[in-house]
Amino acid sequence: MIRAAGAVVWRGEETDPEIALVHRPAYDDWSLPKGKLRHGEHVIAAALREVREETGLRVVLGRALPPVHYLKDGRLKRVDYWLARDPGDGRAAGGDGEEVDEVVWLPIEEAARRLTYDWDRRLLRAVGAAPLTTTPLIFLRHALAGSRQEWQGDDDHRPLDERGLAQAEILATVLGAYRPERLVSSHSRRCTQTIGPYAERHGLEVRGEKALSESGYDPREAERLVRDSLAAAEAAVLCSHGKVLPALLGTAGEALHRTRSADLALAKGGFAVLHHTAGRAVTLERYVT
C-alpha cells in the first residue's frame, strides 16, 4: 500500500471557513495539500512536511478526518488527513513553484467545485461534521526503556534504551503538530526523557508529578491534574505509564461526558489525542511511534 498524508487547511471564521487548495502543474489538477511518506517517517510528521512544502504554511493540526483510499497505478493508496490551521491565518501561503504553482483560498462549496477529484470533494463533507476548533489533550506513554527485570536499581530511575531515545526524537516533531505548552509528566526518568526532546526544542519546562508514576500513583491527585489540563483550554500533554494511562483517559472521558472505554491500551511511545471543546469530547485518536 502507498501511504500519504496531508491536511484540509482552513482560515477565517468557523461558521464560514476558507479552504486552501493547491494547483499542481505536472498534473494540471486542483487538490488538497498532501504527499507520500518518506521511508520511516511518522504519518503526522509527513502531513506537516507536505503541507509546508506545498503551501509554505507551518500549520497546527486539529482532529483527524476520515482517510481516503483510491487506486494509483494499480496499487491501493491511503491518504491520512487532518484539519489544520496556520497561526498566521494563511497570509504567508504560496506554492513552491515546482510541484505547486498556485495556492488559493476558497469557501467550502466553491472549493468543492474547484477540486479535481471526487475523493477530495467527499472529504470536504466531513469537515463540518464536528467543530473545526478543538483543544487537544495528549496522553503519552513513555518510550521503550529496556527490561524492568534486568534493571538493577530504583525503577523510577530506569532510562530509555536506544530505541526509546529514537522514539523520543520522533515525538519531538510529532507532538509539535499540536504545539502543546503545558507539559505534565510522571517524575520517572523514562517519562521525562520521553517528553524532554520536545520540551527542549520549544524552550518549555516539564512539570514532574509523582502522582502520575507507577510507584507513587495517587488517583485523587491524578484526577485533579487531568481536570486542570482540560480546564486550561490550551494544548497539553500528560506523560505516564501503561498501567496509569487508562485511568487518566477514563477520568478525562467522564469529565467530558464521554463513557469510559474498555480498550485504552497504548504501546510504548504511543499516544492518544483527545480533542475537546466547550466541555465536550469531540474525537479520541490513537497513534504509535
Side-chain angles (χ1 to χ4, degrees):
M1 180 188 294
I2 303 170
R3 292 293 305 276
V8 177
V9 185
W10 67 282
R11 71 177 185 182
E13 298 298 324
E14 185 165 351
T15 55
D16 188 25
E18 292 183 322
I19 306 297
L21 305 187
V22 298
H23 182 260
R24 302 185 299 174
Y27 302 97
D28 191 22
D29 63 6
W30 287 95
S31 65
L32 299 165
K34 68 177 186 303
K36 290 189 292 186
L37 274 63
R38 293 172 177 169
H39 178 71
E41 187 175 32
H42 195 282
V43 65
I44 290 177
L48 296 176
R49 177 183 54 77
E50 286 293 340
V51 170
R52 184 172 66 252
E53 290 177 356
E54 295 197 349
T55 69
L57 299 175
R58 296 181 179 273
V59 297
V60 178
L61 296 190
R63 59 181 168 86
L65 296 169
V68 171
H69 298 82
Y70 57 90
L71 290 176
K72 174 69 173 178
D73 298 327
R75 296 177 62 192
L76 182 64
K77 183 173 183 177
R78 170 178 169 143
V79 188
D80 289 277
Y81 283 100
W82 288 261
L83 278 174
R85 189 163 189 173
D86 172 58
D89 211 21
R91 288 187 291 272
D96 60 14
E98 296 181 2
E99 291 188 29
V100 171
D101 62 355
E102 189 175 359
V103 179
V104 297
W105 294 94
L106 298 172
I108 288 182
E109 291 187 4
E110 188 175 346
R113 291 193 294 269
R114 179 76 67 93
L115 285 166
T116 301
Y117 306 107
D118 287 339
W119 52 78
D120 284 340
R121 285 190 284 270
R122 289 195 295 269
L123 187 64
L124 285 190
R125 290 197 285 270
V127 168
L132 298 187
T133 302
T134 55
T135 302
L137 177 55
I138 301 165
F139 296 85
L140 172 63
R141 185 177 179 185
H142 68 76
L144 291 161
S147 170
R148 186 190 303 262
Q149 289 71 32
E150 294 178 3
W151 174 252
Q152 298 178 355
D154 187 337
D155 195 56
D156 282 338
H157 298 159
R158 180 159 51 96
L160 298 183
D161 61 19
E162 185 175 346
R163 293 176 299 165
L165 291 171
Q167 286 180 304
E169 289 299 325
I170 293 170
L171 287 164
T173 297
V174 172
L175 294 177
Y178 306 98
R179 304 200 188 173
E181 295 190 1
R182 181 185 177 92
L183 310 178
V184 185
S185 172
S186 158
H187 76 302
S188 296
R189 184 180 180 188
R190 55 192 181 277
C191 287
T192 57
Q193 280 188 301
T194 298
I195 192 68
Y198 172 80
E200 292 173 11
R201 186 175 296 185
H202 297 276
L204 300 171
E205 293 186 2
V206 179
R207 177 179 167 185
E209 291 284 353
K210 187 175 182 179
L212 298 181
S213 70
E214 286 185 333
S215 62
Y217 175 59
D218 182 334
R220 183 172 296 181
E221 179 63 12
E223 178 177 348
R224 184 189 66 80
L225 292 169
V226 171
R227 291 181 179 273
D228 284 352
S229 295
L230 290 171
E234 62 181 353
V237 178
L238 295 174
C239 184
S240 188
H241 308 262
K243 295 179 180 179
V244 176
L245 283 166
L248 303 184
L249 277 160
T251 294
E254 289 182 347
L256 297 171
H257 311 287
R258 186 187 182 99
T259 303
R260 281 181 180 263
S261 170
D263 178 20
L264 295 173
L266 291 170
K268 290 180 180 178
F271 60 97
V273 184
L274 177 63
H275 289 276
H276 60 97
T277 186
R280 295 278 178 176
V282 178
T283 62
L284 177 63
E285 305 159 11
R286 304 184 198 200
Y287 301 98
V288 297
T289 302

